[in-house]
């Protein structure tokens, strides 16, 4: 027997008998309390599928027609009594995602797009597929592993390899990009290179689309920086790339000795995983939990290690750097070394500087009040390049991106170069490399972020 449940104006069809106590909200019947209790008993895939169908206002029959399955299967997937078959999961979940993105009501589509921070149905389909697959694989992984149930939605693993730990750390909750608060305390620099990259998600992004901005995703990472084992080239580039690769979220990086030997990852209200790192790179005494009380205890514990003194990178503006003389002090530092991912105002001849200054002022009128300061900084940059012992590593992409996009970073103001201006810029850089003996430049080819295998010449 099928039962219909009225919830916020939508109707969900459930298979079987439900004992539903009714409450009233906005004059409509709801099954809010009983439905929430039922959802708690479901697996994560079924819970997400049911929530999405409610939000999209899609009935079981509609989804059954899209995936070409009997409607009874849809009811079992939603109720948690069954999962799609392993061998057909990609095809089935792909059709589910397509149906949710293209058959949703206008109001439901708008709400789901807001949840996943996308603006087109095609992008929403990809985000839904990514989230549903992640939840499906999480459920299957839980079924396979031998774990100790030590409390409400809390589990204990005596020992895990680092790859196993990282798989569990990349929890499906990270796909819920509308709002996330994440804290992590980890001895990251003690891990092998591959594990580091996997931890900070440089290979596939912390979220499903690392190029799209997620302003409500907050991630604070606390590292143990041990200079006795510091690789000045690799580790420095690693931190630079980690910060650059996290600019799509609200990211903060801290340093604390309390991260020594620890690996903790906590998402407020949703998920936590913690363990101790052994010398052989394995994790032992690992605990995971989806119980909000446990998650928040760990979250607050890690937050207690955060303070301004341990903050490694601080957000600022170019105007603040000029007013506090930070820009000038940085250029006058002894043994100056720089890693450059895109071309900046440091490499400008006088004629091109004058043209770009006027263009920047037209884009940001506030810069006209700092015109004289910018002129002085330009003269300082030229002097440093011509007389200081300046060592530079430049990404090859700095030139290729300029050729493709015509975009140039002029004191943190994005300006567009004409073909003539690009020619002037490149000729000036070539002349610098040919005549300045104190200027030491190396070029890095390939994507340093993905695997850190680079070729210098």
């Amino acid at each position: 027997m099928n039962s219909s449940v009225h919830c916020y104006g939508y109707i969900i069809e459930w298979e079987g008998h439900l004992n539903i106590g009714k409450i009233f909200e906005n004059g409509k019947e709801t099954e809010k309390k009983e439905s929430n209790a039922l959802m708690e008993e479901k697996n994560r895939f079924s819970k997400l599928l049911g929530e999405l169908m409610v939000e999209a206002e899609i009935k079981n029959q509609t989804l059954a027609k899209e995936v070409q399955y009997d409607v009874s299967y849809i009811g079992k997937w939603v109720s948690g009594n069954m999962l799609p078959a392993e061998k057909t999961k990609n095809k089935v979940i792909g059709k589910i995602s397509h149906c949710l993105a293209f058959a949703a009501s206008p109001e439901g589509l708008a709400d789901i797009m807001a949840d996943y921070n996308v603006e087109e149905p095609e992008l929403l389909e990809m985000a839904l597929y990514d989230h549903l697959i992640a939840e499906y694989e999480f459920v299957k992984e839980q079924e396979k592993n031998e774990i100790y149930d030590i409390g409400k939605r809390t589990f204990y693993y005596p020992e895990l390899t680092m790859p196993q730990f990282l798989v569990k750390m990349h929890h499906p909750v990270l796909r819920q990009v509308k709002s996330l608060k994440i804290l992590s305390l980890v001895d990251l620099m003690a891990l092998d290179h591959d594990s580091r990259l996997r931890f900070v998600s440089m290979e596939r992004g912390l979220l499903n689309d690392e190029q799209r901005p997620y302003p409500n995703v907050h991630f604070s990472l606390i590292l143990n920086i041990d200079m006795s084992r510091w690789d000045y080239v690799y580790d420095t580039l690693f931190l630079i790339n980690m910060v650059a690769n996290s600019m799509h979220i609200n990211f903060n990086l801290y340093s604390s000795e309390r991260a020594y030997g620890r690996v903790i990852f906590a998402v407020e209200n949703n998920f936590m995983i913690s363990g101790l790192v052994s010398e052989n790179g394995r994790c032992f005494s690992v605990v995971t939990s989806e119980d909000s009380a446990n998650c928040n205890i760990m979250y607050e514990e890690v937050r207690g290690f955060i303070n301004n003194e341990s903050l490694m990178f601080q957000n600022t503006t170019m105007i603040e750097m000029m007013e506090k003389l930070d820009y000038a002090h940085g250029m006058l530092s002894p043994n100056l070394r720089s890693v450059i991912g895109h071309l900046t105002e440091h490499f400008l001849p006088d004629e091109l500087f004058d043209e770009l200054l006027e263009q920047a002022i037209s884009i940001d009128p506030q810069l006209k009040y700092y015109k004289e300061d910018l002129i002085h900084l330009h003269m300082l940059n030229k002097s440093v390049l011509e007389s200081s012992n300046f060592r530079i590593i430049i990404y090859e992409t700095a030139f290729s991106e300029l050729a493709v996009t015509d975009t140039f970073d002029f004191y943190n103001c994005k300006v567009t170069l004409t073909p003539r201006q690009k020619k002037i810029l490149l000729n000036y850089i070539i002349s610098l490399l040919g005549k300045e003996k104190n200027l030491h430049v190396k070029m890095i080819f390939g994507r340093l972020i993905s695997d850190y295998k680079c070729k210098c010449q």
Side-chain angles (χ1 to χ4, degrees):
M1 175 180 176
N2 290 337
S3 299
S4 294
V5 176
H6 296 261
C7 180
Y8 301 103
Y10 312 146
I11 299 178
I12 315 171
E13 296 185 356
W14 301 88
E15 287 200 348
H17 297 273
L18 294 178
N19 182 16
I20 299 172
K22 298 176 182 178
I23 60 175
F24 290 86
E25 184 170 322
N26 298 326
K28 299 181 180 179
E29 294 179 6
T30 76
E31 42 85 43
K32 188 173 182 181
K33 292 182 179 178
E34 288 74 12
S35 176
N36 287 344
L38 180 64
M39 284 294 191
E40 287 295 324
E41 299 173 0
K42 293 184 179 184
N43 64 65
R44 293 184 59 92
F45 174 83
S46 299
K47 182 178 180 181
L48 175 63
L49 178 59
E51 290 173 345
L52 289 172
M53 290 178 65
V54 170
E55 195 167 13
E57 300 186 60
I58 291 178
K59 296 183 178 181
N60 288 15
Q61 292 93 332
T62 303
L63 190 58
K65 183 178 180 180
E66 175 68 28
V67 299
Q68 297 180 338
Y69 271 69
D70 187 88
V71 69
S72 63
Y73 281 90
I74 308 302
K76 292 175 182 178
W77 294 344
V78 172
S79 66
N81 292 326
M82 180 185 291
L83 288 173
E86 183 84 26
K87 63 180 180 180
T88 60
K89 66 176 182 180
N90 294 326
K91 181 179 179 180
V92 169
I93 294 177
K95 289 183 176 181
I96 291 174
S97 303
H98 181 82
C99 182
L100 291 168
F102 289 91
S105 68
E107 296 81 5
L109 181 62
D111 290 340
I112 299 176
M113 282 185 171
D115 290 341
Y116 288 89
N117 193 31
V118 296
E119 299 175 353
E120 300 175 10
E122 292 80 7
L123 294 176
L124 178 61
E125 180 182 356
M126 294 172 59
L128 291 173
Y129 176 84
D130 178 76
H131 195 178
L132 286 166
I133 280 288
E135 295 288 9
Y136 180 94
E137 292 178 347
F138 179 86
V139 173
K140 300 298 287 187
E141 182 71 19
Q142 292 293 95
E143 292 177 351
K144 294 176 184 177
N145 285 343
E146 293 185 6
I147 55 179
Y148 297 90
D149 187 342
I150 60 174
K152 181 182 178 183
R153 302 166 67 191
T154 302
F155 305 96
Y156 173 77
Y157 306 80
E159 184 180 50
L160 294 175
T161 65
M162 185 54 67
Q164 289 173 328
F165 183 95
L166 294 172
V167 166
K168 297 186 182 302
M169 192 197 79
H170 285 286
H171 193 271
V173 71
L174 300 180
R175 274 73 178 177
Q176 300 174 10
V177 298
K178 187 174 184 179
S179 179
L180 281 173
K181 292 184 179 180
I182 309 168
L183 292 178
S184 184
L185 179 76
V186 56
D187 197 357
L188 187 63
M189 310 313 286
L191 305 183
D192 63 86
H193 293 174
D194 182 64
S195 295
R196 291 189 201 178
L197 294 176
R198 291 179 182 275
F199 186 94
V200 298
S201 306
M202 286 185 175
E203 291 182 314
R204 62 185 180 89
L206 174 66
L207 306 161
N208 58 316
D209 180 5
E210 65 269 23
Q211 300 304 317
R212 182 176 295 277
Y214 297 95
N216 294 320
V217 175
H218 306 269
F219 181 24
S220 293
L221 179 59
I222 308 172
L223 308 180
N224 174 44
I225 304 297
D226 184 353
M227 300 308 296
S228 65
R229 56 183 179 180
W230 186 263
D231 185 319
Y232 284 92
V233 175
Y234 182 90
D235 291 341
T236 301
L237 292 176
F238 174 80
L239 289 184
I240 291 172
N241 280 277
M242 179 170 61
V243 174
N245 203 51
S246 303
M247 292 181 66
H248 61 298
I249 62 177
N250 184 359
F251 178 72
N252 287 302
L253 186 63
Y254 299 85
S255 174
S256 173
E257 293 182 355
R258 297 190 179 187
Y260 177 79
R262 299 189 186 188
V263 53
I264 300 173
F265 188 85
V267 184
E268 187 178 40
N269 298 323
N270 284 282
F271 174 71
M272 61 78 53
I273 181 169
S274 68
L276 300 175
V277 182
S278 64
E279 292 183 358
N280 62 4
R282 299 177 72 87
C283 295
F284 58 94
S285 297
V286 177
V287 176
T288 70
S289 181
E290 293 178 316
D291 177 57
S292 60
N294 292 335
C295 297
N296 291 342
I297 289 173
M298 185 63 72
Y299 184 91
E300 293 299 326
E301 182 72 17
V302 175
R303 191 165 70 169
F305 299 144
I306 291 177
N307 55 71
N308 289 333
E309 288 72 26
S310 62
L311 188 62
M312 297 182 65
F313 296 90
Q314 296 186 3
N315 293 327
T316 186
T317 65
M318 183 59 65
I319 290 177
E320 288 176 348
M321 292 180 66
M322 286 191 293
E323 291 178 341
K324 297 178 181 179
L325 303 179
D326 290 340
Y327 188 107
H329 289 162
M331 290 301 298
L332 294 174
S333 301
N335 299 318
L336 190 60
R337 300 168 186 245
S338 291
V339 179
I340 297 175
H342 53 270
L343 294 179
T344 61
E345 70 280 349
H346 299 85
F347 309 96
L348 286 177
D350 293 337
E351 56 178 313
L352 188 53
F353 170 82
D354 294 336
E355 294 179 13
L356 298 184
L357 177 58
E358 295 304 319
Q359 184 178 342
I361 291 175
S362 67
I363 297 173
D364 184 1
Q366 190 177 8
L367 291 178
K368 67 181 179 181
Y369 302 110
Y370 298 90
K371 187 172 182 178
E372 291 300 320
D373 297 288
L374 293 173
I375 293 174
H376 290 311
L377 290 178
H378 169 65
M379 300 302 295
L380 174 62
N381 285 333
K382 285 189 61 179
S383 177
V384 169
L385 288 177
E386 293 173 359
S387 60
S388 298
N389 188 19
F390 198 176
R391 298 180 181 273
I392 306 174
I393 295 177
I394 304 180
Y395 285 64
E396 175 271 335
T397 53
F399 294 98
S400 59
E401 288 178 2
L402 175 66
V404 173
T405 66
D406 300 331
T407 302
F408 184 81
D409 194 329
F410 184 84
Y411 293 97
N412 211 31
C413 181
K414 303 298 182 183
V415 297
T416 302
L417 300 188
T418 65
R420 178 187 66 83
Q421 290 173 328
K422 286 195 291 186
K423 183 177 180 180
I424 294 174
L425 173 64
L426 294 176
N427 284 336
Y428 179 70
I429 293 175
I430 292 173
S431 68
L432 282 176
L433 298 178
K435 71 179 182 180
E436 301 301 339
K437 296 181 179 180
N438 293 322
L439 185 61
H440 305 276
V441 178
K442 290 186 178 181
M443 181 80 71
I444 294 179
F445 294 90
R447 292 193 64 208
L448 202 61
I449 290 177
S450 61
D451 58 11
Y452 282 73
K453 294 177 182 177
C454 60
K455 174 183 176 184
C456 297
Q457 69 176 26

